Amino acid sequence: LKADGRTRSRPVRLAIALALIALAQEPATAESLEARIKAAYLLKLSSFVRWPATVFTDANAPLRICIVGRSDVHAVLEALARNQQVAGRTIAAVHIPHDSAAQAQSCQALFVGRNSPAWRDLLTATKRSPVLTITDRAGGTHGGVIEFIESGGNIRIGVDRAEARARSLELSSKLVQIAEPTGR
Amino acid sequence: MNLLQAVGGRLLNNRWAATAFALLLLVASLFLAWQSERSAAQDRLRQVEVQAQILAGSVSAALAFNDREATREYLAALRLNRAIQAAAVYGSDGRLVDAYVTDGGSLPEAVERAQQPRISGGKLSVAVPVEQQGLALGHVYVRAAIESWTARASRYVAIGIIIVLAALLIVLLGATNAAAAAANERLRAEIAAREQAEAALRQSQKMEAMGQLTGGVAHDFNNLLSAASSGLDLLERAEDPGRRAKLYTGMREVFERGAKLTQQLLAFARRVPLQPEVTDVGERLAGMRNLLERSLHGGISLDFDLEPRLWPVEIDASQFDVAVLNCVVNARDAMEDGGAIRICARNAPGGFDGRDAIEVAIEDNGSGMSAEVLERVFEPFFTTKEVGRGTGLGLSQVYGFAQASNGAATVSSIEGVGTTLTLFLPRCEDAAI
């Protein structure tokens, strides 16, 4: 009987240990799955886009991914982007306020993740600049070069190729292949 | 080419060299097979790695943005290649995203780093990273079957059989050629021995002819010596300078004739091998007149009937002399009671198997020969003469000489009427006489 009790307690202890390990590996605090996926997408998206060389001040300038309205996504991205490089550049995750059109100009990627009174101004302010705008339909924004589209519990990528061309951004054909076309 | 033949000939004449060559051929082909196997394995490794890289390159966006459907399509495309028995895509966290397995084997649970192509358990596996502009997106794992041992061997069977047969053929050729070479060597030795025996026979034939001559020559010499001796006696007594001078001249002539006779005998007895040279037979016969006359006794006349401008022939002149002498001696012996010998020589256009030749006939009106004797007349050691007079080698020498000169000797005879011995000697085409 005693031996029996001991064998029953073993899986329980194992589960606790595994949970502890999982918690320790989790970046930052326990952000939502949705935020983690979107942060990862933002990082990965940057590798499927080519910016004109002129947008970087020098060879060591980081690739700036700016996030508006989603501090949770920013937190995850910051953790994810640590020690990562895209095309030889480090990644800088920058959280900028809603009304900072000037700051938006200096970003290579701009994620407008949540509806706010001035979100359209951000897109307009960067019009014709090589800024990869990313909007999120679930967050109430749209019209970016890239759009996150939630469907059936999955987050898909929408691409507006005309908008990308207007902003002198080169999208990888592999990305275009799996993306849904958006825009006019 | 000659060098090749020489080397090839030596190689094939030596049994061991041929065997060594065959072994070399086998070893070389084994080495080549091993080499080709190795490079084929390398090729296979590279192919599988390239396939994995193609998959990694194409699947990157689908993997990055969780497009399961696209990932599956890329895997399905790879699946068309039967040799690739398993392929899997792993995310950046190392977890399996999608895969297929056709060989019933298992897949690595997680792949977090690239793995060089490696062979284990008859399978070839490789893991390559999925990267986009240096950003790690995950890994791709590909496993392929290695061609089975039997399938590989069957590729070499046909060529292997050919090579083994070729090696066997070389060994066999070497063995037979070695045997043939040994037989050839024996044959050559035999021929040399026979040639030696023939030379000895020729010499003895010559000596016989000389023996026949000796009787007449000794008589002649005696005459010359007594002429010389009486000449000396007369010279001692003579006082008239005119008469002395005459005697001197006479004696000189006697000595010259003696010297000439000796010279002819020496030339006759000399041991020389057959030495064909372009010869004018008419001139030769005319020069022999003295010698021939001396071998006859009184009561036998010797006539010459030589066509002027006889064609040149390529013969051994001294053997020709011996042959004519043998014929004359033979005719003489057939005419105990005297008679006539005629030596005729004429051009015979197309007279010898359709070829130009000269015909030398020695005719006598002696006792002739019976058909039985005629049949065996050219056989060595066949004689009708009593013991001590003939060796039976005379006419066989005539026959041998004619054969050696690419000509022929024939004899025709009517008992009680006479015998004609004819020599055909082919015309020498390229002689400038």
Side-chain angles (χ1 to χ4, degrees):
Chain A
L1 258 171
K2 201 178 177 187
D4 205 19
R6 276 182 69 179
T7 50
R8 207 176 282 160
S9 69
R10 195 173 275 169
V12 177
R13 267 195 234 160
L14 196 67
I16 293 167
L18 280 175
L20 281 171
I21 291 166
L23 277 174
Q25 282 184 331
E26 203 70 10
T29 50
E31 310 291 349
S32 72
L33 179 64
E34 177 258 0
R36 291 211 303 273
I37 290 175
K38 283 176 183 169
Y41 276 22
L42 288 177
L43 174 64
K44 288 169 183 176
L45 269 174
S46 63
S47 73
F48 288 91
V49 180
R50 228 178 260 277
W51 279 269
T54 48
V55 305
F56 300 104
T57 49
D58 63 82
N60 296 322
L63 196 149
R64 289 164 60 86
I65 302 177
C66 302
I67 291 154
V68 183
R70 288 295 301 264
S71 54
D72 53 345
V73 173
H74 170 255
V76 179
L77 180 60
E78 204 162 38
L80 273 181
R82 212 171 288 143
N83 303 325
Q84 294 282 12
Q85 286 201 338
V86 170
R89 291 180 191 282
T90 54
I91 310 291
V94 187
H95 193 247
I96 62 171
H98 286 287
D99 50 359
S100 179
Q103 267 195 60
Q105 292 275 11
S106 66
C107 302
Q108 274 74 56
L110 174 66
F111 176 49
V112 187
R114 194 156 283 159
N115 196 338
S116 70
W119 74 267
R120 279 178 198 280
D121 296 342
L122 281 169
L123 293 194
T124 323
T126 59
K127 199 105 188 151
R128 308 214 178 280
S129 310
V131 177
L132 180 77
T133 50
I134 301 137
T135 51
D136 185 358
R137 279 189 194 175
T141 59
H142 57 88
V145 179
I146 305 287
E147 219 157 278
F148 290 156
I149 306 161
E150 256 165 71
S151 71
N154 212 345
I155 298 169
R156 293 184 53 77
I157 305 288
V159 162
D160 185 345
R161 295 178 74 184
E163 187 64 28
R165 225 171 293 127
R167 290 167 180 260
S168 312
L169 296 171
E170 219 179 284
L171 301 181
S172 157
S173 63
K174 288 186 268 186
L175 174 65
V176 175
Q177 238 172 15
I178 61 141
E180 269 174 42
T182 58
R184 290 154 299 274
Chain B
M1 195 59 208
N2 280 338
L3 180 74
L4 195 69
Q5 273 175 352
V7 172
R10 189 155 306 164
L11 185 72
L12 286 180
N13 281 341
N14 187 325
R15 198 176 310 222
W16 298 117
T19 310
F21 187 66
L23 275 176
L24 192 73
L25 183 74
L26 285 177
V27 168
S29 44
L30 276 177
F31 175 74
L32 284 178
W34 175 72
Q35 191 83 327
S36 107
E37 264 301 289
R38 246 173 50 129
S39 72
Q42 289 294 326
D43 274 357
R44 193 115 187 89
L45 284 175
R46 220 166 298 129
Q47 272 175 21
V48 171
E49 196 174 8
V50 165
Q51 289 283 0
Q53 259 151 5
I54 290 170
L55 177 64
S58 52
V59 84
S60 58
L63 177 63
F65 303 109
N66 276 337
D67 192 332
R68 286 292 177 87
E69 210 172 303
T71 308
R72 195 155 299 147
E73 273 169 28
Y74 290 123
L75 282 171
L78 200 62
R79 196 173 183 159
L80 292 177
N81 185 343
R82 286 276 186 87
I84 296 182
Q85 298 182 331
V89 178
Y90 295 85
S92 52
D93 52 3
R95 266 183 286 187
L96 183 65
V97 173
D98 205 349
Y100 78 81
V101 176
T102 61
D103 60 357
S106 62
L107 286 168
E109 268 176 41
V111 173
E112 280 172 331
R113 68 177 78 90
Q115 171 210 307
Q116 285 298 309
R118 67 163 174 234
I119 296 170
S120 66
K123 307 271 179 181
L124 207 158
S125 61
V126 65
V128 300
V130 180
E131 279 177 353
Q132 184 70 22
Q133 293 205 67
L135 184 70
L137 299 173
H139 287 89
V140 154
Y141 169 88
V142 168
R143 186 165 68 215
I146 297 174
E147 217 181 347
S148 73
W149 187 88
T150 46
R152 282 209 307 273
S154 72
R155 264 192 295 145
Y156 292 103
V157 161
I159 190 81
I161 286 173
I162 289 170
I163 285 168
V164 166
L165 283 184
L168 278 178
L169 200 66
I170 289 170
V171 171
L172 208 69
L173 263 176
T176 43
N177 260 29
N184 209 25
E185 200 47 50
R186 277 199 301 280
L187 192 66
R188 210 168 293 160
E190 217 165 275
I191 287 171
R194 196 164 289 181
E195 265 169 8
Q196 226 167 356
E198 262 170 28
L201 179 65
R202 261 206 309 280
Q203 185 63 14
S204 74
Q205 285 166 340
K206 220 185 318 185
M207 294 322 269
E208 148 148 49
M210 206 168 68
Q212 296 284 341
L213 258 179
T214 318
V217 170
H219 178 74
D220 249 42
F221 240 91
N222 246 356
N223 283 349
L224 288 175
L225 286 176
S226 57
S229 136
S230 58
L232 274 174
D233 286 346
L234 288 172
L235 196 64
E236 257 173 26
R237 274 180 257 146
E239 272 159 32
D240 175 33
R243 186 168 160 71
R244 283 178 76 98
K246 233 182 186 173
L247 280 168
Y248 268 130
T249 318
M251 277 168 65
R252 185 156 297 127
E253 268 174 26
V254 165
F255 286 131
E256 271 169 12
R257 270 168 66 190
K260 207 170 162 190
L261 205 60
T262 325
Q263 228 166 32
Q264 275 178 327
L265 281 174
L266 281 175
F268 208 82
R270 216 171 43 220
R271 183 192 284 272
V272 279
L274 272 178
Q275 273 176 331
E277 53 189 324
V278 177
T279 310
D280 181 347
V281 167
E283 209 172 82
R284 198 79 200 173
L285 285 170
M288 284 178 75
R289 181 187 275 266
N290 255 339
L291 188 76
L292 294 175
E293 273 172 352
R294 259 166 250 295
S295 66
L296 303 175
H297 51 79
I300 295 177
S301 66
L302 178 66
D303 283 323
F304 281 87
D305 178 6
L306 306 177
E307 191 178 306
R309 284 190 296 281
L310 281 171
W311 289 326
V313 289
E314 197 171 13
I315 53 169
D316 183 314
S318 70
Q319 287 290 320
F320 175 73
D321 291 355
V322 176
V324 171
L325 183 65
N326 275 325
C327 291
V328 168
V329 166
N330 217 60
R332 179 198 69 192
D333 293 343
M335 298 184 292
E336 298 270 283
D337 310 319
I341 297 176
R342 253 166 72 85
I343 298 180
C344 311
R346 61 180 191 91
N347 290 330
F352 176 56
D353 282 351
R355 284 181 287 149
D356 289 351
I358 68 161
E359 192 185 310
V360 180
I362 294 108
E363 303 168 10
D364 68 64
N365 53 2
S367 53
M369 290 178 240
S370 66
E372 297 84 63
V373 173
L374 202 59
E375 215 167 79
R376 304 182 57 193
V377 76
F378 288 129
E379 272 179 32
F381 305 110
F382 174 76
T383 183
T384 54
K385 298 168 190 174
E386 64 267 36
V387 174
R389 283 210 61 189
T391 57
L393 290 174
L395 289 187
S396 80
Q397 186 273 336
V398 174
Y399 180 79
F401 160 73
Q403 293 288 322
S405 310
N406 296 318
T410 62
V411 61
S412 64
S413 181
I414 302 172
E415 226 169 340
V417 175
T419 304
T420 303
L421 223 150
T422 313
L423 279 169
F424 292 96
L425 301 170
R427 177 186 186 175
C428 176
E429 303 288 350
D430 48 19
I433 285 189

